[in-house]
Amino acid sequence: MYYHASSVKGITQLTPQSSNHGIPLVYFSTKRENVLVYLSNSIEKYCVETGFSYDGKCQKWGPYGFGKDGRQRLEEYYPNALISTYKGVSGYIYSAETISDSGFSVPIPDVATSSIPVDISGVEFIPDAYEAILQAEREGLLTIIRYEEMNDKMKAWNKKTILEEYENASNHPEYRHFLKGNFSEILCGR
């Protein structure tokens, strides 16, 4: 089974969209729990909640990686990041029994892509993405590293990365707004 998350209700066919890789693709995971992170875009959500108007395509915030065991690892890079991004957010997990693989290699475990439209065979309503993520953690399907658990090495990496991300986002005012709002201690004076 292939899974895809969206905030849009009633999708019967997923069509390829321009991607981060510069070609139109539909992204899937063969693990349902791995798509939960796509039920909310923290940058877009933060801009809406703070009244920041932006007409372009919002950057994506990908606060996850994968452990050596292959499980997705969600990482909170600022206090209460999971709550502020996912609590109370509803959405849908669409499933497809088969896809026509695009042949495009994505360096993310359990990901598959299609360059042609994909018919949906099932849908699951997720009433609260945060609760669904916590349930997946309880079931051992993913791990969460909470902000308070970051060690000094992770904190140093976080600071370096946020400074770099801010500098490289001159064409994305929505991303800079998000970074300033959530990393004010790191970005003070910018």
Side-chain angles (χ1 to χ4, degrees):
M1 195 65 75
Y2 298 90
Y3 302 95
H4 179 94
S6 176
S7 60
V8 178
K9 181 180 181 178
I11 296 174
T12 58
Q13 185 180 67
L14 292 164
T15 56
Q17 303 292 315
S18 182
S19 70
N20 291 347
H21 301 103
I23 59 172
L25 296 169
V26 182
Y27 291 83
F28 295 92
S29 177
T30 56
K31 291 184 175 179
R32 176 196 167 275
E33 64 273 12
N34 287 4
V35 301
L36 292 169
V37 296
Y38 298 108
L39 290 170
S40 181
N41 178 345
S42 56
I43 297 169
E44 185 175 8
K45 187 173 186 280
Y46 181 79
C47 288
V48 168
E49 291 174 349
T50 59
F52 185 85
S53 181
Y54 181 67
D55 293 334
K57 186 176 179 181
C58 280
Q59 285 281 99
K60 300 282 187 192
W61 179 257
Y64 67 88
F66 292 87
K68 291 179 182 176
D69 61 0
R71 281 188 301 164
Q72 188 180 53
R73 184 185 63 244
L74 303 181
E75 300 172 351
E76 281 195 311
Y77 297 124
Y78 55 94
N80 297 312
L82 289 177
I83 289 172
S84 66
T85 301
Y86 298 106
K87 189 148 184 71
V89 173
S90 62
Y92 303 87
I93 295 180
Y94 292 97
S95 56
E97 292 178 16
T98 61
I99 68 167
S100 179
D101 186 60
S102 70
F104 186 82
S105 178
V106 178
I108 300 173
D110 307 303
V111 166
T113 60
S114 177
S115 57
I116 62 172
V118 176
D119 291 330
I120 297 304
S121 60
V123 62
E124 175 188 4
F125 176 67
I126 305 295
D128 188 307
Y130 179 67
E131 293 302 325
I133 288 169
L134 293 182
Q135 181 63 37
E137 179 190 33
R138 285 190 293 272
E139 293 173 7
L141 300 173
L142 57 80
T143 58
I144 299 172
I145 297 176
R146 288 161 177 84
Y147 179 77
E148 300 78 24
E149 299 168 350
M150 284 195 343
N151 61 34
D152 290 340
K153 183 179 177 182
M154 288 176 69
K155 287 177 185 175
W157 176 88
N158 193 38
K159 181 176 181 178
K160 176 183 174 290
T161 301
I162 294 308
L163 289 168
E164 289 172 359
E165 288 288 301
Y166 186 83
E167 292 306 316
N168 293 332
S170 60
N171 292 330
H172 283 278
E174 85 292 0
Y175 190 26
R176 281 189 162 187
H177 176 72
F178 167 81
L179 292 172
K180 280 184 185 179
N182 289 292
F183 300 96
S184 57
E185 289 181 14
I186 294 173
L187 295 170
C188 60
R190 287 186 166 68

